[in-house]
Structure formats: C-alpha cells, structure tokens
Amino acid sequence: MTLIHKVEHCHTMADVRRNIDALDERIVALIAERSGYVAQAARIKQNANQVHDQARIDFIVDRVKAMAAEQGAPEAVIEAAYRAMIDAFIEFERGEFQRLRPQPSQEG
C-alpha cells in the first residue's frame, strides 16, 4: 500500500499522537461542514421518506472506496467509517426534518 499523502516518520508515540490529533482537528472541521449540508438537505427535501436514499448511500460508499484505493488508504476502514457516518447523519437529518416541520399539537 502506497499512500499518496506523505506521512511524517515518527520516532515516538508522542509524535504519532500529535499527528493524529492534528488530523482529528481537520476531520472534525470537515464533518461539521458536512453537517451544514445535511441540515440543508433536511430543509430542501419535501418528504421524510427522502431522508434515507439507498442509491445515494451506495454511490457514496463506492466512490469513497475508489478514492481510498487511489490514495492507498485501507478500503475496509474507509467503508466502515463512511457507513457509520452516513447512518449517524441520517438520524441527524431525520431530527432536522422533524424540527423544521413541527407537528400540530394533539390537545383537545
């Protein structure tokens, strides 16, 4: 496996952890940005049944696995991470969809 992106040669676990922590900061920022688009999807979609789109999920997973292969990343890790993230974002989007469309109260 040849990584396209250069990975710094580490001499200690502190070096490894420092680099991973720096990557985590970037990853969290990107996930936060992605969540803004998922929130917009909840606003744009007209029907709750549109929140789970299996064809789109399959497309994303296939796409990121291909990207992983091109960049020398472990495809199984990328697939598992994306499937978990997509599942979590589906729940987030369902919540946003409901929040944006409050149901009338059933009092009476």
Side-chain angles (χ1 to χ4, degrees):
M1 171 172 67
T2 303
L3 294 175
I4 287 179
H5 300 285
K6 294 288 183 190
V7 174
E8 178 183 315
H9 180 78
C10 299
H11 298 282
T12 66
M13 281 306 300
D15 292 342
V16 170
R17 290 177 178 146
R18 178 179 42 78
N19 281 285
I20 288 174
D21 290 349
L23 287 171
D24 287 343
E25 284 188 36
R26 292 168 44 200
I27 291 167
V28 169
L30 291 170
I31 292 171
E33 183 178 350
R34 192 180 202 279
S35 72
Y37 290 107
V38 172
Q40 289 187 62
R43 175 179 51 81
I44 292 168
K45 291 177 182 176
Q46 299 299 309
N47 187 307
N49 293 335
Q50 295 174 303
V51 171
H52 183 273
D53 182 346
Q54 190 61 49
R56 176 67 177 157
I57 293 167
D58 294 342
F59 171 82
I60 291 168
V61 170
D62 289 345
R63 182 172 154 270
V64 298
K65 283 174 60 180
M67 291 167 58
E70 290 171 8
Q71 296 189 34
E75 290 177 52
V77 172
I78 297 298
E79 179 177 2
Y82 264 81
R83 286 193 185 279
M85 181 173 63
I86 289 168
D87 287 347
F89 269 125
I90 287 169
E91 291 307 309
F92 170 74
E93 187 177 340
R94 282 187 176 127
E96 283 296 291
F97 190 91
Q98 291 174 350
R99 183 184 67 78
L100 294 168
R101 293 160 186 83
Q103 299 298 314
S105 65
Q106 298 292 324
E107 295 178 23

